[in-house]
Structure formats: C-alpha cells, structure tokens
Amino acid sequence: MTSPLTSPLVAVTGASGAVGGRVAGRLAREGVPVRLLGRDPSRLPRLPGAVAAPPAPYGDGEAMRRALDGAHTLFLVSAHESPDRVLEHTTAVDAALAAGVERIVYVSFLGAAPDATFTFARDHWHTEAHIRVAGVRHTFLRDSWYLAAIPAMTGADGILRGPAGEGRVSAVSHQDIADAASAVLLDAGTGHDGATYDLTGPEAFTLAEAAGELSRRTGRTIRYVPESREEAYASRAHYGAEEWEVAGWVTSYEAIAAGELETVSDAVPTLTGRPAQNLAAYLLENPDSYRHLLPGG
C-alpha cells in the first residue's frame, strides 16, 4: 500500500452520495489527496485535504477533463439512470483519459451483460466494455441490489410487489460497497488491475423472506405480492414515469426471478476484512429506512 505522503490524487465522483461520500471520507482520513466531484458542489462534504471541483456533468467532456486534470485515479460512480447514461459514462471515461488519469475504479452492477434481464445492467456492461478497450488500468465493482431498496420499495400499505417470483437476491449495503471500494483505492499497486469483484451480501433471499424480516422489525404484517409483467407495469403507471424508466424498475425484479442476482460472493469480506452485512443487521442499524412502515408512521 502506498504511503499517504506519496499517494497520487484520487478523484471521487458522486461524492455527495451514500457510496461516494463514504469513500471520500475514508480516503481523506487516510491522508490521501482527494478531489470531490458532484452535480451540486454545495452538497459536497467538507473533508480535510479534499478539494471540490467545479460542476462537471459526466456528459460534458470538456468540464470533466478540467475537473480531472492532474488526477491519477478516478473512482467512477455510475450516473443516474437515463436514456443517455452509456454516452455520459463513455464521455466521462474519454475525458479522464484526456486528462491523464491512469486508473479507473468503476461501480458497475452484478451480472452486467449485453443481454442482462435488468435493462440498466446492460448500460454497465457497455461502460465496462468501453473502459476495457481504452487501455487504462481498471477495476470493476459489480454491486447487487441495495439492502436499502428493500424497505424503500415496500409501500406504506405493507406490500412489497413485483415480478420477482421465488427468485433470490444477494442485496448489499452501501456501506459494504464503499468500504470495499476504499480498500481497492487505497491499494495503489497493480493487484486489482483487471479484476471484477461481485459485491454482495452474505446471503441470497427471496422477497417473501425479506417481507418476513420487515414484519419482525416493524411489528406489523409485511407481505410480498408477486406480479406478472403486465400487473407490474399497471401498478407503477400512476408514477407517470417514462417507459425506459418503468422498464428498468420492472426488469430489476425480473432479473431476480431469472436467477441473475442470486450470486453470493466473498469479495466484501476479502476486501474489507469483516463480514458483509445482512438484511436483519441493516434494518437494526437503519430504523429510518422503514419508518414509513411503522404503525402511525
């Protein structure tokens, strides 16, 4: 591991978010020089030794190039879902190369593939492919569903619904993703070059089992209601979202049904030196995540 006194500059995107913010904090505490990138600089954390870059949307190649000038490593948190996300990612990668960045650590998604059931996972595969052919040192962190999504996608009516069938998902916490990423970034050697790590929780569970855990934690009955694809689209119609976005929501459940998110990896404990967090522990430590499900909540 490189001494902080000689550590090269790391640019952290999404630094106001749950993953990027935690990574930036860890690097700063270790004395690594950090440049923070975010859509809104006013929301970026204030960290010793860290400098905030001017706004640089991923899709603005020139702004990204300026923001990354002098950085050795780019921690690239994927952009918010959009029809143009792959173009945004590839523009950011090209800007990083133009700025002289030598290493990219990219937050991808479990099972990323050109024909993945989950439509947004296809975006990640295309981004990975672009990074691979760019000739830059790289590491891919393929995270599973977020544990935080389980209570978030459960309605105040106590129902978690979607076309996941009886499939299983190895959901992982933001904390575990960030700590695993930090471990990779703090190791400036070549040991992680070309590696792809599946970042998962310690177990894969059905959504019915997740509902049972939520029931134990909230003291009320939480149910999983499986849907057909048609029912899933109909139950989400009231959001008024665009078709591509609804397709992403629905296919994320269908990927579970297809068995594409049931992989359980030891990458988190291997990289962090501690066990990955399970759903029960996550809910215990994050009561605000299910406050809307509590009686009178």
mmCIF file of all heavy atoms in Angstrom, residues 211-254:
data_model
loop_
_atom_site.group_PDB
_atom_site.id
_atom_site.type_symbol
_atom_site.label_atom_id
_atom_site.label_comp_id
_atom_site.label_asym_id
_atom_site.label_seq_id
_atom_site.Cartn_x
_atom_site.Cartn_y
_atom_site.Cartn_z
ATOM 1 N N ALA A 211 -39.827 -9.708 3.253
ATOM 2 C CA ALA A 211 -41.052 -9.205 3.878
ATOM 3 C C ALA A 211 -41.192 -9.742 5.291
ATOM 4 O O ALA A 211 -41.627 -9.029 6.208
ATOM 5 C CB ALA A 211 -42.264 -9.598 3.037
ATOM 6 N N GLY A 212 -40.804 -11.006 5.487
ATOM 7 C CA GLY A 212 -40.849 -11.578 6.828
ATOM 8 C C GLY A 212 -39.913 -10.860 7.775
ATOM 9 O O GLY A 212 -40.262 -10.618 8.944
ATOM 10 N N GLU A 213 -38.728 -10.501 7.314
ATOM 11 C CA GLU A 213 -37.775 -9.768 8.157
ATOM 12 C C GLU A 213 -38.302 -8.378 8.476
ATOM 13 O O GLU A 213 -38.160 -7.884 9.612
ATOM 14 C CB GLU A 213 -36.425 -9.680 7.455
ATOM 15 C CG GLU A 213 -35.284 -9.205 8.335
ATOM 16 C CD GLU A 213 -35.063 -10.096 9.537
ATOM 17 O OE1 GLU A 213 -34.932 -11.321 9.357
ATOM 18 O OE2 GLU A 213 -35.025 -9.547 10.666
ATOM 19 N N LEU A 214 -38.926 -7.743 7.505
ATOM 20 C CA LEU A 214 -39.533 -6.432 7.759
ATOM 21 C C LEU A 214 -40.682 -6.552 8.761
ATOM 22 O O LEU A 214 -40.876 -5.666 9.600
ATOM 23 C CB LEU A 214 -40.042 -5.827 6.449
ATOM 24 C CG LEU A 214 -38.988 -5.184 5.544
ATOM 25 C CD1 LEU A 214 -39.582 -4.886 4.171
ATOM 26 C CD2 LEU A 214 -38.458 -3.902 6.173
ATOM 27 N N SER A 215 -41.426 -7.640 8.689
ATOM 28 C CA SER A 215 -42.520 -7.857 9.640
ATOM 29 C C SER A 215 -41.974 -7.970 11.064
ATOM 30 O O SER A 215 -42.516 -7.382 12.012
ATOM 31 C CB SER A 215 -43.294 -9.133 9.284
ATOM 32 O OG SER A 215 -43.908 -9.023 8.025
ATOM 33 N N ARG A 216 -40.885 -8.709 11.224
ATOM 34 C CA ARG A 216 -40.286 -8.865 12.554
ATOM 35 C C ARG A 216 -39.777 -7.538 13.086
ATOM 36 O O ARG A 216 -39.876 -7.259 14.287
ATOM 37 C CB ARG A 216 -39.149 -9.887 12.489
ATOM 38 C CG ARG A 216 -39.613 -11.333 12.400
ATOM 39 C CD ARG A 216 -38.460 -12.308 12.497
ATOM 40 N NE ARG A 216 -37.688 -12.356 11.264
ATOM 41 C CZ ARG A 216 -38.013 -13.094 10.209
ATOM 42 N NH1 ARG A 216 -39.115 -13.834 10.228
ATOM 43 N NH2 ARG A 216 -37.247 -13.112 9.131
ATOM 44 N N ARG A 217 -39.256 -6.725 12.198
ATOM 45 C CA ARG A 217 -38.672 -5.458 12.649
ATOM 46 C C ARG A 217 -39.734 -4.407 12.937
ATOM 47 O O ARG A 217 -39.585 -3.614 13.876
ATOM 48 C CB ARG A 217 -37.690 -4.957 11.565
ATOM 49 C CG ARG A 217 -36.956 -3.678 11.866
ATOM 50 C CD ARG A 217 -36.241 -3.665 13.170
ATOM 51 N NE ARG A 217 -35.392 -4.834 13.391
ATOM 52 C CZ ARG A 217 -34.847 -5.143 14.538
ATOM 53 N NH1 ARG A 217 -35.069 -4.379 15.598
ATOM 54 N NH2 ARG A 217 -34.088 -6.221 14.661
ATOM 55 N N THR A 218 -40.806 -4.390 12.158
ATOM 56 C CA THR A 218 -41.825 -3.340 12.309
ATOM 57 C C THR A 218 -42.958 -3.723 13.249
ATOM 58 O O THR A 218 -43.693 -2.854 13.715
ATOM 59 C CB THR A 218 -42.444 -2.991 10.943
ATOM 60 O OG1 THR A 218 -43.090 -4.156 10.411
ATOM 61 C CG2 THR A 218 -41.380 -2.490 9.971
ATOM 62 N N GLY A 219 -43.119 -5.014 13.475
ATOM 63 C CA GLY A 219 -44.216 -5.452 14.333
ATOM 64 C C GLY A 219 -45.565 -5.458 13.636
ATOM 65 O O GLY A 219 -46.611 -5.538 14.286
ATOM 66 N N ARG A 220 -45.571 -5.368 12.324
ATOM 67 C CA ARG A 220 -46.807 -5.468 11.559
ATOM 68 C C ARG A 220 -46.587 -6.439 10.408
ATOM 69 O O ARG A 220 -45.445 -6.793 10.103
ATOM 70 C CB ARG A 220 -47.247 -4.102 11.020
ATOM 71 C CG ARG A 220 -46.268 -3.490 10.042
ATOM 72 C CD ARG A 220 -46.718 -2.193 9.433
ATOM 73 N NE ARG A 220 -47.789 -2.362 8.466
ATOM 74 C CZ ARG A 220 -48.086 -1.468 7.523
ATOM 75 N NH1 ARG A 220 -47.385 -0.339 7.452
ATOM 76 N NH2 ARG A 220 -49.058 -1.678 6.681
ATOM 77 N N THR A 221 -47.649 -6.865 9.808
ATOM 78 C CA THR A 221 -47.527 -7.830 8.709
ATOM 79 C C THR A 221 -47.132 -7.126 7.419
ATOM 80 O O THR A 221 -47.861 -6.266 6.929
ATOM 81 C CB THR A 221 -48.845 -8.589 8.498
ATOM 82 O OG1 THR A 221 -49.160 -9.310 9.701
ATOM 83 C CG2 THR A 221 -48.714 -9.570 7.345
ATOM 84 N N ILE A 222 -45.966 -7.491 6.908
ATOM 85 C CA ILE A 222 -45.490 -7.007 5.615
ATOM 86 C C ILE A 222 -45.560 -8.188 4.656
ATOM 87 O O ILE A 222 -45.126 -9.299 4.987
ATOM 88 C CB ILE A 222 -44.045 -6.489 5.700
ATOM 89 C CG1 ILE A 222 -43.903 -5.425 6.805
ATOM 90 C CG2 ILE A 222 -43.600 -5.937 4.353
ATOM 91 C CD1 ILE A 222 -44.693 -4.164 6.578
ATOM 92 N N ARG A 223 -46.116 -7.985 3.485
ATOM 93 C CA ARG A 223 -46.311 -9.080 2.537
ATOM 94 C C ARG A 223 -45.601 -8.800 1.214
ATOM 95 O O ARG A 223 -45.521 -7.656 0.782
ATOM 96 C CB ARG A 223 -47.800 -9.305 2.244
ATOM 97 C CG ARG A 223 -48.613 -9.778 3.436
ATOM 98 C CD ARG A 223 -50.027 -10.138 3.009
ATOM 99 N NE ARG A 223 -50.737 -9.017 2.399
ATOM 100 C CZ ARG A 223 -51.276 -9.037 1.185
ATOM 101 N NH1 ARG A 223 -51.161 -10.106 0.403
ATOM 102 N NH2 ARG A 223 -51.936 -7.975 0.726
ATOM 103 N N TYR A 224 -45.108 -9.867 0.616
ATOM 104 C CA TYR A 224 -44.628 -9.788 -0.756
ATOM 105 C C TYR A 224 -45.731 -10.301 -1.670
ATOM 106 O O TYR A 224 -46.259 -11.400 -1.476
ATOM 107 C CB TYR A 224 -43.364 -10.621 -0.967
ATOM 108 C CG TYR A 224 -43.041 -10.854 -2.422
ATOM 109 C CD1 TYR A 224 -42.841 -9.771 -3.282
ATOM 110 C CD2 TYR A 224 -42.950 -12.142 -2.955
ATOM 111 C CE1 TYR A 224 -42.568 -9.972 -4.629
ATOM 112 C CE2 TYR A 224 -42.670 -12.348 -4.305
ATOM 113 C CZ TYR A 224 -42.484 -11.265 -5.130
ATOM 114 O OH TYR A 224 -42.217 -11.453 -6.468
ATOM 115 N N VAL A 225 -46.087 -9.492 -2.656
ATOM 116 C CA VAL A 225 -47.116 -9.869 -3.619
ATOM 117 C C VAL A 225 -46.467 -9.986 -4.994
ATOM 118 O O VAL A 225 -46.074 -8.971 -5.589
ATOM 119 C CB VAL A 225 -48.258 -8.833 -3.659
ATOM 120 C CG1 VAL A 225 -49.250 -9.178 -4.758
ATOM 121 C CG2 VAL A 225 -48.954 -8.746 -2.304
ATOM 122 N N PRO A 226 -46.292 -11.210 -5.498
ATOM 123 C CA PRO A 226 -45.707 -11.373 -6.833
ATOM 124 C C PRO A 226 -46.652 -10.864 -7.909
ATOM 125 O O PRO A 226 -47.870 -11.008 -7.799
ATOM 126 C CB PRO A 226 -45.487 -12.887 -6.949
ATOM 127 C CG PRO A 226 -46.449 -13.485 -5.985
ATOM 128 C CD PRO A 226 -46.614 -12.503 -4.868
ATOM 129 N N GLU A 227 -46.082 -10.250 -8.929
ATOM 130 C CA GLU A 227 -46.875 -9.701 -10.032
ATOM 131 C C GLU A 227 -46.433 -10.321 -11.352
ATOM 132 O O GLU A 227 -45.286 -10.766 -11.495
ATOM 133 C CB GLU A 227 -46.693 -8.185 -10.132
ATOM 134 C CG GLU A 227 -47.184 -7.380 -8.955
ATOM 135 C CD GLU A 227 -46.901 -5.896 -9.131
ATOM 136 O OE1 GLU A 227 -45.741 -5.547 -9.409
ATOM 137 O OE2 GLU A 227 -47.842 -5.096 -8.988
ATOM 138 N N SER A 228 -47.309 -10.299 -12.318
ATOM 139 C CA SER A 228 -46.925 -10.586 -13.694
ATOM 140 C C SER A 228 -46.312 -9.297 -14.261
ATOM 141 O O SER A 228 -46.401 -8.226 -13.650
ATOM 142 C CB SER A 228 -48.145 -10.983 -14.516
ATOM 143 O OG SER A 228 -49.038 -9.872 -14.637
ATOM 144 N N ARG A 229 -45.711 -9.398 -15.428
ATOM 145 C CA ARG A 229 -45.157 -8.192 -16.047
ATOM 146 C C ARG A 229 -46.258 -7.157 -16.283
ATOM 147 O O ARG A 229 -46.067 -5.958 -16.001
ATOM 148 C CB ARG A 229 -44.488 -8.541 -17.372
ATOM 149 C CG ARG A 229 -44.070 -7.307 -18.158
ATOM 150 C CD ARG A 229 -43.349 -7.654 -19.429
ATOM 151 N NE ARG A 229 -42.019 -8.192 -19.140
ATOM 152 C CZ ARG A 229 -41.098 -8.417 -20.092
ATOM 153 N NH1 ARG A 229 -41.388 -8.169 -21.353
ATOM 154 N NH2 ARG A 229 -39.928 -8.894 -19.777
ATOM 155 N N GLU A 230 -47.399 -7.588 -16.767
ATOM 156 C CA GLU A 230 -48.500 -6.660 -17.041
ATOM 157 C C GLU A 230 -48.969 -5.988 -15.751
ATOM 158 O O GLU A 230 -49.226 -4.771 -15.719
ATOM 159 C CB GLU A 230 -49.662 -7.407 -17.701
ATOM 160 C CG GLU A 230 -49.370 -7.930 -19.103
ATOM 161 C CD GLU A 230 -48.398 -9.093 -19.131
ATOM 162 O OE1 GLU A 230 -48.280 -9.798 -18.086
ATOM 163 O OE2 GLU A 230 -47.756 -9.311 -20.169
ATOM 164 N N GLU A 231 -49.086 -6.763 -14.683
ATOM 165 C CA GLU A 231 -49.506 -6.190 -13.406
ATOM 166 C C GLU A 231 -48.470 -5.217 -12.874
ATOM 167 O O GLU A 231 -48.814 -4.176 -12.285
ATOM 168 C CB GLU A 231 -49.739 -7.315 -12.386
ATOM 169 C CG GLU A 231 -50.960 -8.163 -12.673
ATOM 170 C CD GLU A 231 -51.020 -9.408 -11.809
ATOM 171 O OE1 GLU A 231 -49.943 -9.869 -11.323
ATOM 172 O OE2 GLU A 231 -52.130 -9.938 -11.609
ATOM 173 N N ALA A 232 -47.202 -5.519 -13.089
ATOM 174 C CA ALA A 232 -46.135 -4.645 -12.613
ATOM 175 C C ALA A 232 -46.174 -3.287 -13.315
ATOM 176 O O ALA A 232 -46.033 -2.230 -12.681
ATOM 177 C CB ALA A 232 -44.778 -5.307 -12.826
ATOM 178 N N TYR A 233 -46.369 -3.310 -14.613
ATOM 179 C CA TYR A 233 -46.468 -2.041 -15.346
ATOM 180 C C TYR A 233 -47.709 -1.261 -14.899
ATOM 181 O O TYR A 233 -47.656 -0.033 -14.716
ATOM 182 C CB TYR A 233 -46.513 -2.297 -16.851
ATOM 183 C CG TYR A 233 -45.151 -2.374 -17.493
ATOM 184 C CD1 TYR A 233 -44.508 -3.605 -17.657
ATOM 185 C CD2 TYR A 233 -44.497 -1.227 -17.921
ATOM 186 C CE1 TYR A 233 -43.254 -3.684 -18.243
ATOM 187 C CE2 TYR A 233 -43.237 -1.290 -18.508
ATOM 188 C CZ TYR A 233 -42.622 -2.528 -18.670
ATOM 189 O OH TYR A 233 -41.374 -2.591 -19.233
ATOM 190 N N ALA A 234 -48.819 -1.962 -14.699
ATOM 191 C CA ALA A 234 -50.058 -1.293 -14.312
ATOM 192 C C ALA A 234 -49.956 -0.673 -12.931
ATOM 193 O O ALA A 234 -50.427 0.455 -12.705
ATOM 194 C CB ALA A 234 -51.219 -2.290 -14.359
ATOM 195 N N SER A 235 -49.324 -1.368 -11.983
ATOM 196 C CA SER A 235 -49.241 -0.865 -10.613
ATOM 197 C C SER A 235 -48.279 0.308 -10.478
ATOM 198 O O SER A 235 -48.298 1.016 -9.469
ATOM 199 C CB SER A 235 -48.829 -1.988 -9.653
ATOM 200 O OG SER A 235 -47.507 -2.423 -9.905
ATOM 201 N N ARG A 236 -47.457 0.532 -11.494
ATOM 202 C CA ARG A 236 -46.496 1.634 -11.458
ATOM 203 C C ARG A 236 -46.892 2.773 -12.392
ATOM 204 O O ARG A 236 -46.190 3.785 -12.476
ATOM 205 C CB ARG A 236 -45.094 1.113 -11.814
ATOM 206 C CG ARG A 236 -44.510 0.242 -10.707
ATOM 207 C CD ARG A 236 -43.442 -0.721 -11.210
ATOM 208 N NE ARG A 236 -42.862 -1.492 -10.108
ATOM 209 C CZ ARG A 236 -43.458 -2.538 -9.524
ATOM 210 N NH1 ARG A 236 -44.653 -2.946 -9.948
ATOM 211 N NH2 ARG A 236 -42.876 -3.178 -8.520
ATOM 212 N N ALA A 237 -48.009 2.625 -13.057
ATOM 213 C CA ALA A 237 -48.434 3.628 -14.044
ATOM 214 C C ALA A 237 -48.695 4.985 -13.408
ATOM 215 O O ALA A 237 -48.491 6.031 -14.042
ATOM 216 C CB ALA A 237 -49.679 3.142 -14.770
ATOM 217 N N HIS A 238 -49.136 4.988 -12.140
ATOM 218 C CA HIS A 238 -49.517 6.255 -11.511
ATOM 219 C C HIS A 238 -48.323 7.178 -11.262
ATOM 220 O O HIS A 238 -48.490 8.365 -10.977
ATOM 221 C CB HIS A 238 -50.258 5.998 -10.190
ATOM 222 C CG HIS A 238 -49.388 5.419 -9.103
ATOM 223 N ND1 HIS A 238 -49.077 4.082 -9.046
ATOM 224 C CD2 HIS A 238 -48.785 6.004 -8.048
ATOM 225 C CE1 HIS A 238 -48.314 3.859 -7.981
ATOM 226 N NE2 HIS A 238 -48.120 5.014 -7.370
ATOM 227 N N TYR A 239 -47.096 6.636 -11.376
ATOM 228 C CA TYR A 239 -45.923 7.491 -11.181
ATOM 229 C C TYR A 239 -45.703 8.424 -12.371
ATOM 230 O O TYR A 239 -44.997 9.437 -12.247
ATOM 231 C CB TYR A 239 -44.669 6.633 -10.973
ATOM 232 C CG TYR A 239 -44.642 5.905 -9.647
ATOM 233 C CD1 TYR A 239 -44.823 4.526 -9.583
ATOM 234 C CD2 TYR A 239 -44.443 6.593 -8.458
ATOM 235 C CE1 TYR A 239 -44.795 3.848 -8.372
ATOM 236 C CE2 TYR A 239 -44.410 5.930 -7.241
ATOM 237 C CZ TYR A 239 -44.595 4.559 -7.207
ATOM 238 O OH TYR A 239 -44.573 3.893 -6.011
ATOM 239 N N GLY A 240 -46.255 8.083 -13.514
ATOM 240 C CA GLY A 240 -46.092 8.929 -14.692
ATOM 241 C C GLY A 240 -44.679 8.956 -15.229
ATOM 242 O O GLY A 240 -44.295 9.903 -15.921
ATOM 243 N N ALA A 241 -43.898 7.919 -14.931
ATOM 244 C CA ALA A 241 -42.509 7.863 -15.390
ATOM 245 C C ALA A 241 -42.452 7.472 -16.864
ATOM 246 O O ALA A 241 -43.387 6.884 -17.410
ATOM 247 C CB ALA A 241 -41.725 6.863 -14.550
ATOM 248 N N GLU A 242 -41.318 7.786 -17.476
ATOM 249 C CA GLU A 242 -41.127 7.435 -18.882
ATOM 250 C C GLU A 242 -40.974 5.923 -19.024
ATOM 251 O O GLU A 242 -40.596 5.222 -18.076
ATOM 252 C CB GLU A 242 -39.905 8.151 -19.445
ATOM 253 C CG GLU A 242 -40.066 9.669 -19.509
ATOM 254 C CD GLU A 242 -38.892 10.335 -20.191
ATOM 255 O OE1 GLU A 242 -38.533 9.898 -21.309
ATOM 256 O OE2 GLU A 242 -38.328 11.275 -19.612
ATOM 257 N N GLU A 243 -41.232 5.432 -20.215
ATOM 258 C CA GLU A 243 -41.252 3.981 -20.444
ATOM 259 C C GLU A 243 -39.922 3.321 -20.108
ATOM 260 O O GLU A 243 -39.890 2.244 -19.511
ATOM 261 C CB GLU A 243 -41.634 3.698 -21.897
ATOM 262 C CG GLU A 243 -41.755 2.205 -22.211
ATOM 263 C CD GLU A 243 -42.215 1.950 -23.631
ATOM 264 O OE1 GLU A 243 -42.617 2.908 -24.307
ATOM 265 O OE2 GLU A 243 -42.161 0.779 -24.051
ATOM 266 N N TRP A 244 -38.798 3.957 -20.497
ATOM 267 C CA TRP A 244 -37.496 3.359 -20.230
ATOM 268 C C TRP A 244 -37.251 3.202 -18.736
ATOM 269 O O TRP A 244 -36.614 2.224 -18.295
ATOM 270 C CB TRP A 244 -36.377 4.195 -20.859
ATOM 271 C CG TRP A 244 -36.246 5.583 -20.281
ATOM 272 C CD1 TRP A 244 -36.812 6.726 -20.758
ATOM 273 C CD2 TRP A 244 -35.530 5.957 -19.101
ATOM 274 N NE1 TRP A 244 -36.496 7.800 -19.961
ATOM 275 C CE2 TRP A 244 -35.707 7.351 -18.929
ATOM 276 C CE3 TRP A 244 -34.757 5.260 -18.170
ATOM 277 C CZ2 TRP A 244 -35.134 8.057 -17.872
ATOM 278 C CZ3 TRP A 244 -34.175 5.953 -17.108
ATOM 279 C CH2 TRP A 244 -34.369 7.343 -16.966
ATOM 280 N N GLU A 245 -37.755 4.150 -17.948
ATOM 281 C CA GLU A 245 -37.534 4.095 -16.509
ATOM 282 C C GLU A 245 -38.373 2.993 -15.866
ATOM 283 O O GLU A 245 -37.883 2.230 -15.030
ATOM 284 C CB GLU A 245 -37.856 5.444 -15.873
ATOM 285 C CG GLU A 245 -37.501 5.525 -14.403
ATOM 286 C CD GLU A 245 -37.585 6.929 -13.848
ATOM 287 O OE1 GLU A 245 -38.254 7.783 -14.476
ATOM 288 O OE2 GLU A 245 -36.983 7.183 -12.785
ATOM 289 N N VAL A 246 -39.640 2.903 -16.267
ATOM 290 C CA VAL A 246 -40.503 1.849 -15.739
ATOM 291 C C VAL A 246 -39.958 0.479 -16.130
ATOM 292 O O VAL A 246 -39.979 -0.470 -15.338
ATOM 293 C CB VAL A 246 -41.952 2.019 -16.225
ATOM 294 C CG1 VAL A 246 -42.842 0.915 -15.655
ATOM 295 C CG2 VAL A 246 -42.496 3.387 -15.817
ATOM 296 N N ALA A 247 -39.429 0.382 -17.347
ATOM 297 C CA ALA A 247 -38.834 -0.879 -17.792
ATOM 298 C C ALA A 247 -37.680 -1.278 -16.883
ATOM 299 O O ALA A 247 -37.503 -2.461 -16.553
ATOM 300 C CB ALA A 247 -38.361 -0.763 -19.237
ATOM 301 N N GLY A 248 -36.893 -0.299 -16.473
ATOM 302 C CA GLY A 248 -35.798 -0.578 -15.543
ATOM 303 C C GLY A 248 -36.308 -1.087 -14.206
ATOM 304 O O GLY A 248 -35.780 -2.057 -13.647
ATOM 305 N N TRP A 249 -37.350 -0.439 -13.684
ATOM 306 C CA TRP A 249 -37.921 -0.885 -12.412
ATOM 307 C C TRP A 249 -38.420 -2.322 -12.509
ATOM 308 O O TRP A 249 -38.101 -3.159 -11.667
ATOM 309 C CB TRP A 249 -39.092 0.015 -12.019
ATOM 310 C CG TRP A 249 -38.757 1.442 -11.782
ATOM 311 C CD1 TRP A 249 -37.511 1.976 -11.571
ATOM 312 C CD2 TRP A 249 -39.676 2.538 -11.743
ATOM 313 N NE1 TRP A 249 -37.600 3.339 -11.395
ATOM 314 C CE2 TRP A 249 -38.910 3.709 -11.498
ATOM 315 C CE3 TRP A 249 -41.061 2.646 -11.893
ATOM 316 C CZ2 TRP A 249 -39.502 4.968 -11.388
ATOM 317 C CZ3 TRP A 249 -41.651 3.898 -11.784
ATOM 318 C CH2 TRP A 249 -40.888 5.050 -11.539
ATOM 319 N N VAL A 250 -39.189 -2.585 -13.540
ATOM 320 C CA VAL A 250 -39.824 -3.905 -13.675
ATOM 321 C C VAL A 250 -38.780 -4.992 -13.928
ATOM 322 O O VAL A 250 -38.822 -6.067 -13.316
ATOM 323 C CB VAL A 250 -40.877 -3.883 -14.800
ATOM 324 C CG1 VAL A 250 -41.409 -5.292 -15.068
ATOM 325 C CG2 VAL A 250 -42.031 -2.939 -14.432
ATOM 326 N N THR A 251 -37.825 -4.720 -14.803
ATOM 327 C CA THR A 251 -36.845 -5.754 -15.131
ATOM 328 C C THR A 251 -35.868 -6.019 -13.992
ATOM 329 O O THR A 251 -35.237 -7.080 -13.955
ATOM 330 C CB THR A 251 -36.060 -5.399 -16.409
ATOM 331 O OG1 THR A 251 -35.411 -4.123 -16.249
ATOM 332 C CG2 THR A 251 -36.977 -5.371 -17.624
ATOM 333 N N SER A 252 -35.750 -5.082 -13.050
ATOM 334 C CA SER A 252 -34.894 -5.367 -11.891
ATOM 335 C C SER A 252 -35.475 -6.527 -11.087
ATOM 336 O O SER A 252 -34.742 -7.379 -10.573
ATOM 337 C CB SER A 252 -34.730 -4.122 -11.014
ATOM 338 O OG SER A 252 -35.928 -3.776 -10.348
ATOM 339 N N TYR A 253 -36.811 -6.576 -10.994
ATOM 340 C CA TYR A 253 -37.466 -7.705 -10.333
ATOM 341 C C TYR A 253 -37.371 -8.963 -11.196
ATOM 342 O O TYR A 253 -37.149 -10.068 -10.677
ATOM 343 C CB TYR A 253 -38.942 -7.386 -10.079
ATOM 344 C CG TYR A 253 -39.207 -6.369 -9.005
ATOM 345 C CD1 TYR A 253 -39.301 -5.014 -9.306
ATOM 346 C CD2 TYR A 253 -39.394 -6.757 -7.681
ATOM 347 C CE1 TYR A 253 -39.566 -4.077 -8.336
ATOM 348 C CE2 TYR A 253 -39.668 -5.823 -6.699
ATOM 349 C CZ TYR A 253 -39.746 -4.475 -7.026
ATOM 350 O OH TYR A 253 -40.010 -3.549 -6.044
ATOM 351 N N GLU A 254 -37.546 -8.792 -12.490
ATOM 352 C CA GLU A 254 -37.494 -9.954 -13.379
ATOM 353 C C GLU A 254 -36.105 -10.587 -13.381
ATOM 354 O O GLU A 254 -35.970 -11.800 -13.575
ATOM 355 C CB GLU A 254 -37.912 -9.544 -14.791
ATOM 356 C CG GLU A 254 -39.383 -9.180 -14.898
ATOM 357 C CD GLU A 254 -39.819 -8.785 -16.294
ATOM 358 O OE1 GLU A 254 -38.987 -8.220 -17.039
ATOM 359 O OE2 GLU A 254 -40.983 -9.058 -16.638
#
